[in-house]
Amino acid sequence: MTSKKRDFLKFTDLTLDEHLGLFRRAAVLKKARRERRCVNTMDGRTLTMIFEKASTRTRLSFEAAMLQLGGSCIDLSAGNSQMSRGEPLPDTARVTGRYCDVVMMRTFADARIEEFAAYCEVPVINGLTDGGHPVQILTDLFTIEEKLGSVKGKTLAFIGDTGSNMGRSFTRAAPIFGYQLKLASPKGYHPADDVVGPAKGFVSLLADPKEAAKGADVVITDVWTSMGQEAESKQRLADLGGYQVNPELMKLAQQHALFLHCLPAHREEEVTASVIDGPQSVVWDEAENRLHVQKALLEYLVLENERRQE
Ligand code: CP
Ligand code: NVA
């Protein structure tokens, strides 16, 4: 069974057709919630969430998604489990898979979630690692399509720490969805070659934030210091100081341009309050959409896994 189940660890784990299918289903689920219609597709199923880093949105949206679909949810904080006392990860993964139908994990190294998934018999979803944040990018692309239509052929400008997990997942998704991604960062802050290489032709690595923002349909940023990088924060603040998304930068983008940020945000660092709280910002819809998109993803992975076992 372990070899057959599907995980969502990286954006490339699903095809374009599968991603678009999730978007269609997410729109249906969003409408159902607006109309207060119950959907019970996860009846009797359980999601286990493992957090080795802090979270607000990911915790709330996954738990709410599972409960609203009629399922249940277990939050296994790594610090309160035997994981913090040295139980081998493969053993934790094996037993977790025996109790539940799907796992969402937030951790540090990608190798850790990959090892967990290899030993866990049920689908594992990446809820953020150092190397990517695929459920957030899936939601961001859904949000862009909701507001501007198909993202294919559009220009997305990502300004700041583009080598962050957010920048890396946007890069991996570019050739799948066919958008142009302009990544503006100081030297040393772009994603590495192993991430950029497969996206050749869809991604430009730039130093000038103005060049990236010019004519963009969407302007995106992320924090300058991601979780786990706190010791570098002073250096990062100095290096990234010229990469703030502010009204002057937004003026260079298209008039209809959207501003996206996965949150949490640091106002007056990577983005000014006037932009994130301004009319082009869609960050609250973006945060809400985590709920609808993740519902679609949970249904897809869990029900497909059950069908495979029949
Ligand atoms: N955007 C996001 O994943 O937020 P949290 O860290 O609060 O989960
Ligand atoms: N890049 C950020 C994203 C937070 C959701 C971090 O990893 O801290």
Side-chain angles (χ1 to χ4, degrees):
M1 189 161 89
T2 306
S3 62
K4 285 194 196 150
K5 58 98 189 205
R6 302 271 304 276
D7 301 305
F8 187 55
L9 303 185
K10 283 198 171 68
F11 211 85
T12 42
D13 287 346
L14 297 180
T15 64
L16 177 62
D17 276 355
E18 288 176 311
H19 287 298
L20 294 177
L22 292 179
F23 287 180
R24 286 192 293 275
R25 181 65 183 154
V28 169
L29 291 164
K30 184 168 184 174
K31 191 161 181 283
R33 178 156 170 78
R34 290 266 190 277
E35 294 169 359
R36 299 197 179 280
R37 276 185 286 113
C38 286
V39 179
N40 285 314
T41 42
M42 289 295 99
D43 187 18
R45 278 75 162 197
T46 303
L47 163 71
T48 298
M49 304 193 291
I50 300 175
F51 285 99
E52 297 189 309
K53 286 178 177 171
S55 170
T56 296
R57 279 145 290 270
T58 303
R59 183 186 303 266
L60 286 171
S61 57
F62 267 104
E63 183 156 351
M66 204 60 191
L67 297 179
Q68 289 169 21
L69 291 176
S72 37
C73 204
I74 300 170
D75 182 354
L76 184 74
S77 295
N80 294 335
S81 75
Q82 300 289 5
M83 290 166 83
S84 65
R85 298 181 59 250
E87 181 167 12
L89 193 67
D91 292 0
T92 308
R94 283 189 187 100
V95 297
T96 305
R98 298 290 181 106
Y99 297 133
C100 68
D101 303 278
V102 57
V103 175
M104 190 283 302
M105 187 177 193
R106 169 170 285 198
T107 188
F108 292 85
D110 286 64
R112 191 163 166 81
I113 197 169
E114 283 159 14
E115 185 182 21
F116 188 98
Y119 287 94
C120 182
E121 65 183 67
V122 299
V124 177
I125 298 171
N126 181 344
L128 183 147
T129 54
D130 294 344
H133 197 358
V135 287
Q136 180 71 57
I137 274 55
L138 194 63
T139 303
D140 291 359
L141 296 176
F142 172 79
T143 306
I144 294 167
E145 296 219 337
E146 204 179 34
K147 312 268 178 204
L148 299 180
S150 174
V151 72
K152 189 173 179 189
K154 298 240 176 345
T155 301
L156 278 51
F158 193 115
I159 318 273
D161 181 16
T162 65
S164 74
N165 38 25
M166 289 292 298
R168 293 193 214 189
S169 287
F170 266 116
T171 304
R172 287 195 189 95
I176 300 176
F177 275 84
Y179 54 81
Q180 286 297 319
L181 182 63
K182 295 186 175 176
L183 300 174
S185 289
K187 203 164 175 277
Y189 285 86
H190 286 110
D193 291 347
D194 64 319
V195 179
V196 175
K200 205 167 167 232
F202 294 90
V203 177
S204 334
L205 305 188
L206 306 170
D208 182 0
K210 292 195 183 89
E211 195 183 337
K214 205 170 162 201
D217 297 287
V218 183
V219 178
I220 306 156
T221 192
D222 185 15
V223 292
W224 289 343
T225 300
S226 286
M227 290 179 277
Q229 299 173 331
E230 289 77 7
E232 302 166 17
S233 66
K234 232 173 139 183
Q235 185 63 50
R236 289 177 157 269
L237 207 60
D239 292 345
L240 288 152
Y243 289 79
Q244 183 186 68
V245 177
N246 52 35
E248 291 69 47
L249 207 64
M250 288 303 291
K251 268 193 206 111
L252 299 171
Q254 304 260 10
Q255 248 185 338
H256 65 243
L258 307 174
F259 171 75
L260 266 72
H261 190 311
C262 67
L263 306 175
H266 297 85
R267 285 172 177 76
E268 311 315 324
E269 282 189 23
E270 74 272 8
V271 60
T272 60
S274 52
V275 170
I276 196 167
D277 299 320
Q280 288 172 287
S281 172
V282 295
V283 298
W284 312 119
D285 289 342
E286 180 186 1
E288 179 195 323
N289 283 337
R290 291 284 301 271
L291 175 70
H292 312 300
V293 170
Q294 289 164 191
K295 277 183 182 172
L297 180 65
L298 286 164
E299 275 185 347
Y300 186 69
L301 293 178
V302 171
L303 300 179
E304 192 201 40
N305 193 40
E306 290 175 6
R307 274 194 296 274
R308 279 167 195 272
Q309 292 170 47
E310 277 165 10

